[in-house]
Amino acid sequence: MISTLFPVHRPSVGISLRASALSLVGLRRRPFCRAVVVCADTRALASGVLTPAATGSNMADGESLGRELRALAGPRRDRAVAVSLPDDSATIGLFSFETLPTQPAEREAIIRWRFQQEANIRVGNERLFYRLYQGESSVSVLAAVLDEAVFAQYVSALVAANLLAISIGFETLQLFDVFRGVMQSGPESYFVHHADGLLTCIALRD
């Protein structure tokens, strides 16, 4: 669920946005060594500052959220950050295909068409984020569609905080990517994440 926006270096700071709080984690990377967490902080948000939704307004104004982001990030030379958006700021779907084209543009067009057919929403120029999971006889696609107007609101808040989003994803889907490799295999398994009153469940079947 990560989309590279600019051809610059990999960020060492990640910021997660929720309706209730902003969270930051900073890493230190050294050649041939594992990354080490060097800082972590959380800043509570007043009610109404951030109101995630798949359409419409997600915040009172970008400047207010920008001030909160700036206070969380503090003074820093490196503006590059990885951003994790709230799940409910996007429309998320899970689809199964027998096969998919290898060309990215063709593959994305088919996923967009399937999203429209099954989720009953128009997917035109909205931003599409997806992950492919290859099975024995089919391909599962976990996808999220982010409305361009909603995307612009978050970018505006980050710019107001003097931050540059190098990658953008969604909280539950990013966590699923992290934990999927260590989940116990079996006929069925489940990944469940709860945050800010939103419960997301991903069911897996071998």
Side-chain angles (χ1 to χ4, degrees), residues 93-146:
L94 176 64
F95 312 107
S96 180
F97 298 86
E98 290 184 3
T99 185
L100 280 170
T102 56
Q103 292 297 322
E106 295 178 14
R107 184 169 60 223
E108 181 172 319
I110 289 176
I111 294 172
R112 285 179 180 273
W113 176 84
R114 187 70 172 273
F115 224 123
Q116 288 188 165
Q117 297 300 308
E118 297 197 9
N120 197 30
I121 62 169
R122 178 185 173 277
V123 185
N125 295 323
E126 288 78 3
R127 292 180 180 259
L128 176 68
F129 303 75
Y130 65 89
R131 280 282 189 268
L132 305 179
Y133 302 99
Q134 182 66 55
E136 291 185 4
S137 58
S138 63
V139 181
S140 295
V141 177
L142 191 56
V145 168
L146 180 62

Side-chain angles (χ1 to χ4, degrees), residues 13 15 24 41 43 68-76 81 161 163:
V13 172
I15 293 179
L24 176 148
D41 197 6
R43 185 174 179 85
E68 297 292 343
L69 286 164
R70 194 182 306 116
L72 175 71
R76 58 179 62 250
V81 293
L163 298 172

Side-chain angles (χ1 to χ4, degrees), residues 8-70:
V8 292
H9 69 277
R10 190 178 182 187
S12 60
V13 172
I15 293 179
S16 172
L17 297 91
R18 295 181 182 174
S20 60
L22 305 174
S23 299
L24 176 148
V25 174
L27 303 178
R28 182 175 64 233
R29 292 190 177 92
R30 291 178 176 173
F32 312 109
C33 298
R34 282 189 172 185
V36 177
V37 176
V38 293
C39 64
D41 197 6
T42 298
R43 185 174 179 85
L45 293 178
S47 177
V49 172
L50 182 59
T51 54
T55 59
S57 175
N58 273 232
M59 56 199 70
D61 65 87
E63 287 292 333
S64 296
L65 183 59
R67 285 193 293 271
E68 297 292 343
L69 286 164
R70 194 182 306 116

